[in-house]
Amino acid sequence: MPRVRWGIKASDVNEFDRNSQYRPYDGPIPSNGVYQFQVKVLRYAAGTKDKFPQLRIGLELVPRSGRKDERKYAGYFIMTFPPVSEKTAFRYVPFLDAIGVSGEEFERSTVTDAEGNITKIGKWRNDGEEIILAEIKDGADQHGNARKEIGWMGFIPEGDDEGDEEIAEEDYEEEEDYEEEDGF
């Protein structure tokens, strides 16, 4: 029987970083409120004659240190798609503030890779480790079906115990039932 030639090496499969893939989240849906998130996805989507350009932001919930009530939501993943225009600044400027990017940097120094992933904006580098605060609220999709969506986004104020950037390892070790997972 003929053999298939895939055009790859065995090492492409064997050495693939399996932890880099998103896994479906199967935990409970968080209640409305403000949570700490890690920026996992940040993409540019070009505008068309009918649509504004867009930021595509994927956020993974990271329980705050000392907030045992948030542990069960660890790994919850949500996307938000703020359009970028003069009239929609209220949607994307809070995110830029949260990651410390100025208007000049955003306008002139946003760099993407070939797939549209934003790799840097000015001095800010997208290392996948950025922590911000964001509000989860009730919303509806284009067909009127209920869903969760991101409302407000912001930064973690210096010295704010509610928004502790440090992720306490012991928080994850105590509850083995809730694995940290990603998912779209």
Side-chain angles (χ1 to χ4, degrees):
M1 301 197 106
R3 294 182 187 244
V4 173
R5 300 287 179 206
W6 292 107
I8 63 168
K9 294 179 249 150
S11 62
D12 293 335
V13 174
N14 297 339
E15 296 172 12
F16 177 75
D17 179 9
R18 285 158 175 82
N19 291 327
S20 69
Q21 292 298 295
Y22 291 102
R23 288 168 274 167
Y25 174 80
D26 65 355
I29 304 298
S31 56
N32 293 349
V34 175
Y35 297 90
Q36 178 175 274
F37 288 89
Q38 184 175 5
V39 179
K40 289 292 215 168
V41 175
L42 185 57
R43 293 187 183 126
Y44 160 77
T48 66
K49 68 176 185 150
D50 299 324
K51 293 185 178 185
F52 294 125
Q54 232 179 35
L55 279 175
R56 294 183 176 178
I57 306 165
L59 303 172
E60 180 182 309
L61 196 147
V62 178
R64 290 174 277 195
S65 178
R67 299 291 300 261
K68 292 183 180 190
D69 58 322
E70 293 180 5
R71 283 191 219 155
K72 62 186 168 214
Y73 307 130
Y76 177 77
F77 186 85
I78 188 167
M79 293 285 297
T80 186
F81 308 94
V84 178
S85 77
E86 291 175 15
K87 294 179 182 178
T88 62
F90 68 97
R91 299 271 314 268
Y92 63 89
V93 170
F95 174 74
L96 298 177
D97 290 345
I99 63 172
V101 171
S102 71
E104 291 78 15
E105 290 173 314
F106 186 64
E107 178 187 11
R108 297 184 187 108
S109 302
T110 300
V111 178
T112 66
D113 63 15
E115 289 85 39
N117 295 302
I118 296 174
T119 57
K120 69 178 192 167
I121 305 173
K123 292 176 260 175
W124 180 81
R125 301 285 185 263
N126 186 6
D127 59 7
E129 300 295 321
E130 189 73 38
I131 300 290
I132 67 169
L133 294 177
E135 172 194 26
I136 293 179
K137 65 179 191 169
D138 292 327
D141 67 14
Q142 66 270 24
H143 304 291
N145 299 316
R147 70 171 182 197
K148 291 294 186 181
E149 58 187 38
I150 294 294
W152 171 88
M153 287 182 277
F155 63 94
I156 299 172
E158 298 249 347
D160 182 4
D161 294 335
E162 289 292 309
D164 187 0
E165 273 191 47
E166 295 298 315
I167 302 165
E169 290 298 322
E170 65 271 9
D171 287 348
Y172 290 109
E173 293 170 5
E174 289 176 14
E175 268 187 46
E176 296 289 332
D177 295 339
Y178 297 104
E179 288 184 21
E180 186 177 351
E181 296 181 347
D182 300 331
F184 275 101

